[in-house]
Amino acid sequence: MVGLPGRYKQITKKVGLPPGTLLHIGSKRSEKVKIRKLCYSSDDWTEKEFDKVDELLESISSAEKCWIHISGVHVVSMVEKIGAAFQIHSLVLEDIVNTNQRPKMEDNKEYLYIIVKMIHCYENNIDFEQVSLIVGNNYIVSFQENDNDTFTKIRERIKSTNGIIRSKDVDYLAYALLDCIVDNYYVALEYLGDKIEQLENRIIVHPQPKVLKEIHTLKNEMLFVRKAVWPLREIINALSRGDSALFKKDTLIYIRDVYDHMIQVIDSIEMYRDMVTGMLDLYLSNVSFKTNEVMKVLTIIATIFIPLTFIVGLYGMNFKYMPELEWKWGYPAILLIMAFISGCMIIYFRKKKWM
């Protein structure tokens, strides 16, 4: 996961450049750009991969519903050519190659531009990827940072003869892509939930100092997750209200379903944030409790030895005339008295449940 210093260090590369200047900002997540075009109708579908963007542009026909998916946005010239072919504004292209954008939606009448964040969960890490969608009248152009095709199941649904996507317009495909991204948020929530549960158990059983660092890391992850997910709620809500003419009324009911999912995701994120915040208090309370337990034991031991120390100190004085000094049973008697006092104090502490 990219930290804040690294993110802003890359953004400063654009200082002083004119608006619309295409400059890739972000990590290079794929060595080779993959271009895939999937055209479909209610009767048939065709899919083809291209090595060069010029070959893609030559194959495009305005008479068919088409989904173009590009994996890798670090090649600025490729993004520029696609933008010119579909008459996409230079400021939109600038946002596509700048992968540090906040999720947002822009309606340019001829097309709708949507930026969302995909969340990937690995064994010990969580990563964020920018996905850009250009939704036109009969086409969708999607840009993804890496070559991990997250939309495999959607491709399978399009290729299926029973798939509803082929009978719908491209606005339904746009819904399907957004729904797929939101569904992946549940995977991230499961990952975070398991991590929180494991961390809580470690805090309760054995609160080591390194746990504090893990709490801090998890808190930062939750902050980035909230930043990536929260703005999408506004986007989905605007689409569900029918703000864009590119989304037809029969698709809005599906968009509202995605909005319900977003509400659940955000509620879960807020709950997890509160749990992570409470973890710090739990850690400090547990450490304080264990420290108090140790101090209680030491205090009890010290309290028991106070009268014993007094007796030893009393008979350690160098006075010549002390009646017990020449008594035959003086030493055993003092030991018995000390043992009796210690026993009484231990019984008293147990009755008070101090030990």
Side-chain angles (χ1 to χ4, degrees):
M1 184 172 59
V2 180
L4 286 175
R7 295 164 72 94
Y8 288 118
K9 184 176 180 180
Q10 290 180 325
I11 293 175
T12 55
K13 295 178 182 179
K14 298 194 64 177
V15 174
L17 296 178
T21 301
L22 300 190
L23 178 65
H24 177 248
I25 296 177
S27 303
K28 184 179 178 181
R29 297 173 178 263
S30 59
E31 294 297 328
K32 183 180 178 182
V33 176
K34 292 185 179 180
I35 304 173
R36 182 180 296 181
K37 184 186 74 169
L38 178 59
C39 298
Y40 61 95
S41 64
S42 57
D43 301 324
D44 197 9
W45 60 270
T46 58
E47 185 178 23
K48 188 176 181 180
E49 293 187 8
F50 300 90
D51 295 327
K52 298 180 179 180
V53 66
D54 295 331
E55 297 176 357
L56 166 70
L57 299 179
E58 291 175 0
S59 67
I60 295 176
S61 173
S62 59
E64 55 186 359
K65 292 181 288 187
C66 187
W67 173 25
I68 299 171
H69 183 71
I70 294 93
S71 300
V73 295
H74 56 278
V75 181
V76 175
S77 58
M78 177 269 299
V79 177
E80 189 173 14
K81 287 183 179 180
I82 293 177
F86 288 93
Q87 297 181 350
I88 301 173
H89 199 279
S90 59
L91 292 177
V92 174
L93 299 178
E94 181 184 5
D95 290 342
I96 292 175
V97 297
N98 182 358
T99 59
N100 293 328
Q101 291 293 323
R102 180 181 185 270
K104 64 178 182 178
M105 180 180 68
E106 295 179 2
D107 193 346
N108 293 319
K109 295 184 179 180
E110 297 296 328
Y111 59 85
L112 192 66
Y113 175 49
I114 303 174
I115 294 179
V116 293
K117 294 293 183 179
M118 179 77 74
I119 301 178
H120 300 286
C121 297
Y122 304 102
E123 184 176 355
N124 294 314
N125 190 22
I126 188 168
D127 193 24
F128 302 89
E129 176 189 10
Q130 179 169 302
V131 178
S132 301
L133 303 177
I134 306 292
V135 184
N137 287 317
N138 63 341
Y139 69 88
I140 289 181
V141 183
S142 57
F143 296 88
Q144 188 176 352
E145 289 188 66
N146 60 32
D147 55 1
N148 178 21
D149 193 357
T150 312
F151 305 119
T152 303
K153 291 185 178 180
I154 296 180
R155 298 183 188 281
E156 294 174 354
R157 289 166 57 187
I158 294 176
K159 297 174 185 178
S160 173
T161 54
N162 299 324
I164 189 176
I165 299 182
R166 281 169 46 181
S167 62
K168 297 284 187 178
D169 292 328
V170 294
D171 59 332
Y172 187 87
L173 175 59
Y175 145 74
L177 297 177
L178 292 173
D179 185 55
C180 179
I181 293 172
V182 173
D183 287 344
N184 271 275
Y185 292 161
Y186 286 100
V187 179
L189 291 176
E190 184 178 356
Y191 163 83
L192 292 171
D194 292 341
K195 199 170 182 180
I196 290 173
E197 184 178 358
Q198 294 173 5
L199 201 53
E200 276 185 337
N201 293 334
R202 291 176 57 193
I203 291 173
I204 294 173
V205 176
H206 194 51
Q208 295 178 340
K210 65 179 183 180
V211 174
L212 191 61
K213 182 179 179 181
E214 295 183 22
I215 294 175
H216 178 70
T217 302
L218 183 58
K219 191 174 182 180
N220 285 340
E221 286 182 345
M222 292 301 306
L223 181 64
F224 280 105
V225 168
R226 186 180 186 276
K227 182 180 178 181
V229 172
W230 186 269
L232 186 56
R233 176 182 178 177
E234 303 172 6
I235 297 172
I236 303 298
N237 188 29
L239 292 175
S240 65
R241 293 196 306 263
D243 291 354
S244 175
L246 294 172
F247 278 77
K248 298 177 175 57
K249 290 185 178 180
D250 58 346
T251 307
L252 297 184
I253 187 172
Y254 298 102
I255 297 293
R256 285 193 286 269
D257 182 64
V258 179
Y259 181 74
D260 292 338
H261 293 169
M262 281 301 307
I263 296 297
Q264 295 176 9
V265 170
I266 291 174
D267 288 344
S268 298
I269 290 174
E270 295 300 323
M271 179 185 66
Y272 286 165
R273 285 188 67 205
D274 293 339
M275 291 175 66
V276 173
T277 302
M279 275 185 182
L280 183 59
D281 296 333
L282 178 62
Y283 172 81
L284 296 176
S285 298
N286 204 0
V287 170
S288 177
F289 174 77
K290 289 184 177 295
T291 303
N292 291 339
E293 286 293 310
V294 173
M295 292 302 299
K296 183 173 72 173
V297 173
L298 295 177
T299 303
I300 289 174
I301 295 173
T303 304
I304 292 173
F305 274 89
I306 286 174
L308 307 184
T309 304
F310 170 76
I311 295 173
V312 172
L314 180 65
Y315 284 94
M317 294 186 295
N318 295 321
F319 289 106
K320 182 176 180 180
Y321 300 102
M322 293 183 70
E324 295 86 355
L325 292 179
E326 296 180 0
W327 183 37
K328 179 179 179 180
W329 303 103
Y331 180 68
I334 292 299
L335 290 180
L336 288 175
I337 292 173
M338 293 171 67
F340 176 75
I341 292 174
S342 299
C344 291
M345 294 183 71
I346 291 173
I347 293 172
Y348 178 78
F349 291 154
R350 286 189 178 275
K351 284 186 177 180
K352 289 290 185 178
K353 296 182 180 180
W354 293 348
M355 59 180 299

